[in-house]
Amino acid sequence: SSELTQDPAVSVALGQPARITCQGDSLRKYYASWFQQKPGRAPVLVIFGKNNRPSGIPDRFSVSSSGNSVSLTITGAQAEDEADYFCNSRDSSGKHLVFGGGTKLTVL
Amino acid sequence: EMQLIESGGGLVQPGRSLRLSCAASGFTFDDYAMHWVRQAPGKGLEWVSGISWNSGITGYADSVKGRFTISRDNAKNSLYLQMDSLRVEDTALYYCAKDEGSYYGGAFDIWGQGTKVTVSS
């Protein structure tokens, strides 16, 4: 079982904010990264570190944290944001990396 | 353009070995940590192994420790994964991924398209 927990599915109406959460004890100490994966495609990094977006990632993607939980927020979800989202971080030992189980985002 | 191209996947019997390769281009390979990540059919992502820029630090998921070996050749801009004692549960699409830092922090900013490994008798 993963040391990072994500809700399996989240739905959001077009244009509304979407929030995807990742929980794990290691998140109290280490930053998480977030990846978007569309069917048949390789994952794409969307957020890393405190709140860093790689070049080309829209500014509607942001991250916040509280305790052992990190949340990816999409302000004004678009149809093209429909995808699987995965968080990752170090595990509780700090020596290895681990992914959350993933969240399927549906934009209605 | 920064690019990673994996190769070496295929169909192999349980207990046999396979070596994956990843050719990097478009960036200074020896500045960055590199990783292997796999995805079983219909499943999520699993970090398999990582290696720091100078090979000084390597790490493995518990599921592959003692069976897989990661290595890199900075002169050839290449990353490798030697997979021994393969099991049916190792069946997956294996991605090569570049870390945004020189030690592994988990922000994989460049991914290859993956190479498929099928372990079956």
Side-chain angles (χ1 to χ4, degrees):
Chain A
S1 63
S2 176
E3 293 190 30
L4 297 178
T5 302
Q6 298 182 240
D7 290 331
V10 168
S11 297
V12 62
L14 183 68
Q16 294 301 302
R19 190 168 188 170
I20 301 169
T21 301
C22 179
Q23 283 189 303
D25 287 341
S26 65
L27 298 179
R28 296 182 185 276
K29 190 173 180 181
Y30 301 108
Y31 287 120
S33 298
W34 288 91
F35 302 86
Q36 176 193 71
Q37 187 179 34
K38 296 182 179 180
R41 306 294 297 274
V44 173
L45 178 67
V46 294
I47 290 278
F48 66 99
K50 193 171 184 180
N51 201 0
N52 303 306
R53 283 177 287 105
S55 174
I57 301 301
D59 60 6
R60 63 178 179 271
F61 289 87
S62 64
V63 69
S64 60
S65 66
S66 177
N68 72 339
S69 178
V70 175
S71 295
L72 174 70
T73 299
I74 308 173
T75 54
Q78 303 299 305
E80 61 263 33
D81 299 331
E82 186 164 288
D84 292 326
Y85 289 84
F86 296 91
C87 63
N88 85 345
S89 187
R90 291 183 180 269
D91 67 3
S92 53
S93 75
K95 296 179 181 178
H96 303 131
L97 295 170
V98 63
F99 281 92
T103 298
K104 182 177 183 60
L105 177 68
T106 300
V107 180
L108 304 171
Chain B
E1 180 192 4
M2 291 182 281
Q3 197 170 17
L4 298 170
I5 299 176
E6 303 94 337
S7 61
L11 173 63
V12 62
Q13 293 179 327
R16 304 298 291 265
S17 298
L18 210 55
R19 189 192 195 210
L20 305 185
S21 298
C22 171
S25 61
F27 63 95
T28 306
F29 183 72
D30 55 11
D31 276 351
Y32 299 99
M34 296 293 296
H35 303 267
W36 290 99
V37 176
R38 69 185 181 184
Q39 188 168 34
K43 301 296 184 183
L45 301 173
E46 180 185 15
W47 176 77
V48 173
S49 183
I51 186 167
S52 63
W53 68 281
N54 62 352
S55 304
I57 297 174
T58 58
Y60 301 90
D62 289 342
S63 58
V64 307
K65 194 169 185 178
R67 300 187 299 120
F68 290 11
T69 304
I70 191 171
S71 62
R72 64 190 294 163
D73 185 337
N74 287 344
K76 295 183 177 180
N77 290 345
S78 293
L79 176 72
Y80 307 101
L81 185 69
Q82 177 67 39
M83 304 187 295
D84 298 323
S85 303
L86 281 162
R87 304 170 180 168
V88 171
E89 55 264 36
D90 294 320
T91 295
L93 185 64
Y94 283 73
Y95 292 104
C96 168
K98 169 190 168 293
D99 202 298
E100 62 87 28
S102 54
Y103 293 96
Y104 46 94
F108 306 155
D109 57 358
I110 304 295
W111 295 67
Q113 288 305 303
T115 186
K116 187 176 179 181
V117 172
T118 303
V119 185
S120 173
S121 55

